[in-house]
Amino acid sequence: MKHDNLEQSLTTDAKHIDGDVLNKQRQQLLNKVFSENMSDNTKSTVNIRTIAELKDTSRTKTSTSQPFRYWAIAASVVVVSLFIGYNADDLTPSNTSFKPVASTENNHQPLAVEPGLSNEPSNKLSNEPSNNPIHEPSNNSANTMPKTLSRQYLVASNQLTTEVKAIQLDLDKIKQQLMKI
Amino acid sequence: MDVEHNLIQRCINGDSKAFERLVVRYEQRIMRFLRLRCSVQSDADDIFQETFINMHRYINTYDPAYPFSSWLFKIAINALNKYYKKLEAFDELITESVLQEHSTVDNIWRVAKQTLPPSQLNLLWLTYAEGYTGKETASIMEKSLPWIKINLVRAKHQLRQALRHDAAPLSDWIN
């Protein structure tokens, strides 16, 4: 058998296979694509994709495909964190026994506070005074504890607000894409 | 080529007419391939639909650096594999069906379909029926170029052997 004959036969015989598509079949395909694929699937895929992108950027886990839910969750996180940050300024000093002691003793002998605190069984703060700036002799020592805490909360809340802004920008982009569709 | 690129761009922008023209442009080639590969006409119809639905869905991911037809064949082969994977009886279907059908594929391709495994049948089709180069075929089938070359030789060898033992009308092929 000649080598070319087989290859030529493969080429010519392929053309004899019926490849006709009926108009009805084509119309069915077009209807399917533009009724289902365009209206539902593409929109949902757009939503899923954009949400997946948001997941990557914000590193949070949400299984929903609706942007407003995601936004609501992020906003509630920010509100709660701001609330905690606000209350921390008021609550932290009053719960610790440092404030009255530091203010009354006027910081001349701050280490004298420790025995009193160590008698309290469940106070963890009594075990960590050595590294804490509150025990350094200074006039503002009483306010340093709440300030450091509130700073942490402020930093955290700032980070969250920037993240929320970024999410909001992404959502605007999604809205624009959806409007185009 | 420019016309095709224009159609693709319009299709990406949601132009239904452009999509229809792309379908008309490629439907015969795809359907011919699917009719060769599929055992039942209804399977070919289903996979045909799936192929063009996927084309529409993912057309924005198409890279114009490669031929559009090869991208479309890639989709068709993927749809074909997925379809038969779902049925979970690919080999049985092929051996059973080929013995039954004569109307659509009654030539050398019938013997090829009986003889060769699906991957080699795809390879022969893309090479000789569609005229793709080895590199293009490798890209469509997601195989290496050496794999393409080796399997092409094997497929032709197997086909020649099968043609020698085939029935009278097809013995003309080996003269």
Side-chain angles (χ1 to χ4, degrees):
Chain A
M1 180 186 168
K2 287 177 184 176
H3 182 71
D4 293 337
N5 198 12
L6 177 74
E7 293 174 354
Q8 202 181 346
S9 303
L10 286 167
T11 309
T12 50
D13 263 30
K15 289 169 188 167
H16 296 146
I17 297 172
D18 181 26
D20 288 341
V21 177
L22 298 171
N23 284 333
K24 189 184 171 185
Q25 197 180 351
R26 193 185 305 123
Q27 201 54 48
Q28 212 176 2
L29 167 69
L30 294 170
N31 288 340
K32 199 170 182 181
V33 167
F34 287 102
S35 62
E36 294 175 18
N37 205 18
M38 267 300 280
S39 60
D40 297 324
N41 292 345
T42 47
K43 282 184 181 176
S44 63
T45 49
V46 164
N47 280 340
I48 289 161
R49 279 180 192 171
T50 45
I51 291 299
E53 285 168 10
L54 285 171
K55 276 180 192 173
D56 287 339
T57 52
S58 62
R59 293 171 188 277
T60 56
K61 288 182 180 179
T62 51
S63 60
T64 176
S65 62
Q66 296 170 343
F68 69 89
R69 278 191 190 174
Y70 185 85
W71 199 93
I73 289 162
S76 61
V77 167
V78 170
V79 168
V80 168
S81 63
L82 285 172
F83 180 75
I84 292 165
Y86 176 76
N87 282 344
D89 291 340
D90 297 333
L91 294 171
T92 314
S94 63
N95 285 336
T96 58
S97 58
F98 289 104
K99 190 181 176 182
V101 173
S103 59
T104 50
E105 299 250 340
N106 205 13
N107 304 321
H108 292 300
Q109 289 179 342
L111 288 173
V113 176
E114 281 186 21
L117 285 170
S118 63
N119 291 332
E120 293 173 10
S122 64
N123 198 344
K124 287 181 181 179
L125 287 168
S126 61
N127 295 328
E128 327 172 325
S130 57
N131 293 330
N132 203 315
I134 198 163
H135 293 281
E136 290 172 6
S138 67
N139 289 328
N140 296 324
S141 62
N143 295 326
T144 50
M145 184 68 167
K147 273 184 181 176
T148 49
L149 282 171
S150 61
R151 259 183 223 154
Q152 285 174 354
Y153 283 118
L154 277 171
V155 168
S157 63
N158 283 337
Q159 281 176 349
L160 283 166
T161 46
T162 49
E163 279 182 10
V164 167
K165 278 176 187 174
I167 291 160
Q168 208 166 3
L169 284 170
D170 287 334
L171 284 169
D172 287 336
K173 284 177 187 174
I174 293 160
K175 278 179 189 172
Q176 284 174 355
Q177 284 177 354
L178 287 171
M179 288 298 282
K180 280 178 187 176
I181 291 163
Chain B
M1 202 66 184
D2 287 338
V3 176
E4 187 177 85
H5 189 68
N6 184 31
L7 284 174
I8 292 163
Q9 276 303 320
R10 279 168 54 198
C11 189
I12 289 169
N13 294 331
D15 186 346
S16 59
K17 289 284 173 194
F19 174 72
E20 190 176 353
R21 282 184 67 184
L22 279 172
V23 171
V24 171
R25 211 178 169 96
Y26 290 104
E27 64 183 12
Q28 279 211 336
R29 287 169 70 179
I30 297 295
M31 187 53 103
R32 208 176 278 150
F33 170 65
L34 293 176
R35 279 189 182 141
L36 170 78
R37 282 293 315 274
C38 292
S39 46
V40 190
Q41 178 59 39
S42 60
D43 286 356
D45 293 343
D46 286 350
I47 299 165
F48 176 81
Q49 276 209 349
E50 191 63 28
T51 302
F52 282 98
I53 286 169
N54 283 339
M55 183 197 96
H56 182 266
R57 193 175 289 166
Y58 301 113
I59 197 163
N60 54 345
T61 64
Y62 163 66
D63 184 0
Y66 300 95
F68 185 75
S69 63
S70 65
W71 182 73
L72 196 57
F73 266 101
K74 203 172 186 174
I75 292 174
I77 289 171
N78 284 340
L80 198 68
N81 293 338
K82 201 176 168 186
Y83 188 86
Y84 281 112
K85 204 174 179 183
K86 236 184 250 179
L87 292 179
E88 294 180 349
F90 190 32
D91 293 333
E92 285 173 25
L93 265 172
I94 279 189
T95 48
E96 281 173 10
S97 65
V98 169
L99 297 172
Q100 293 168 5
E101 52 96 11
H102 292 281
S103 57
T104 53
V105 188
D106 194 17
N107 55 27
I108 198 168
W109 287 101
R110 180 173 64 82
V111 184
K113 190 176 175 180
Q114 279 179 316
T115 314
L116 304 174
S119 59
Q120 287 188 351
L121 190 63
N122 288 349
L123 176 59
L124 271 191
W125 183 267
L126 293 171
T127 308
Y128 294 111
E130 288 297 327
Y132 287 117
T133 61
K135 207 175 174 182
E136 285 171 337
T137 312
S139 168
I140 294 167
M141 295 184 70
E142 294 177 337
K143 302 279 186 189
S144 67
L145 196 57
W147 187 94
I148 296 291
K149 285 177 181 173
I150 290 165
N151 278 275
L152 200 58
V153 171
R154 280 180 187 166
K156 282 194 286 186
H157 178 71
Q158 259 186 288
L159 187 57
R160 276 194 200 100
Q161 281 190 330
L163 285 167
R164 283 196 188 98
H165 299 293
D166 202 63
L170 283 163
S171 61
D172 299 339
W173 299 107
I174 56 168
N175 291 330

